[in-house]
Amino acid sequence: MSKIIIVYASLTGNTEEMAELIAEGVRSAGAAADLKMVEDCNAVRLLEYDGYMLGAYTWGDGELPDEFEDFVDEMKELDLRGRMAAVFGSGDTSYRLYCGAVDLLEEKLKEWGAVIPQESLKVEYGPSQEEKALCREFGANFVQSLSAVT
């Protein structure tokens, strides 16, 4: 059974809800999912899993939340080449950079050689009923992508 870690930062609970729904999708596809708030997790833990998913809300004008800064600094020191990853998060379209933190994380992961098999998932505020289903699908699709390479 594949093991996936989902590391997230959530200010209002929206990204946390997405993480929980994504974990449901991961589990429904037959993999184990561990949920961790970013401030309670060291980046080196990513190496203990078959794949990892990062979720962040966007702060300010498209920035990563403060909670993710140390984690990202730790990730720079890891060899993430060829490791499966996915990114998700919540945002607000009234800002110039909608879900900019999601884009930043994806960009850094690609720069460090991670494999991102699916488009990042972005939700405005909290997920609607339709978006809840998309979150579950996102998790299940990640497991399928992971299975295809193992």
Side-chain angles (χ1 to χ4, degrees):
M1 177 188 318
S2 295
K3 288 180 12 180
I4 296 166
I5 187 168
I6 302 168
V7 180
Y8 67 92
S10 189
L11 184 64
T12 60
N14 294 332
T15 307
E16 180 176 23
E17 182 179 8
M18 290 179 72
E20 290 169 351
L21 292 162
I22 290 167
E24 286 178 20
V26 165
R27 292 178 186 124
S28 74
D34 288 341
L35 281 164
K36 298 283 181 194
M37 291 178 56
V38 70
E39 57 266 27
D40 298 331
C41 188
N42 295 319
V44 72
R45 296 274 322 267
L46 300 178
L47 302 176
E48 300 170 14
Y49 292 83
D50 300 306
Y52 58 93
M53 306 173 90
L54 304 178
Y57 64 92
T58 298
W59 184 252
D61 196 23
E63 300 154 26
L64 279 174
D66 289 342
E67 305 93 309
F68 248 105
E69 293 295 336
D70 289 341
F71 192 84
V72 168
D73 285 342
E74 291 173 16
M75 286 176 64
K76 284 183 212 173
E77 307 301 319
L78 302 176
D79 182 3
L80 299 174
R81 288 174 296 184
R83 300 191 56 91
M84 298 288 280
V87 184
F88 64 94
S90 59
D92 182 343
T93 55
S94 68
Y95 286 94
R96 185 175 62 82
L97 293 173
Y98 172 62
C99 288
V102 172
D103 296 335
L104 280 171
L105 284 172
E106 182 176 328
E107 185 179 300
K108 289 192 178 298
L109 290 172
K110 286 179 178 176
E111 180 183 315
W112 297 329
V115 175
I116 301 176
Q118 61 193 35
E119 186 177 326
S120 293
L121 180 62
K122 300 176 181 180
V123 168
E124 184 163 20
Y125 307 121
S128 65
Q129 286 303 319
E130 182 179 306
E131 290 166 331
K132 287 178 181 183
L134 287 176
C135 288
R136 290 183 190 99
E137 259 180 58
F138 187 77
N141 289 342
F142 186 73
V143 173
Q144 290 171 353
S145 297
L146 193 59
S147 298
V149 295
T150 55

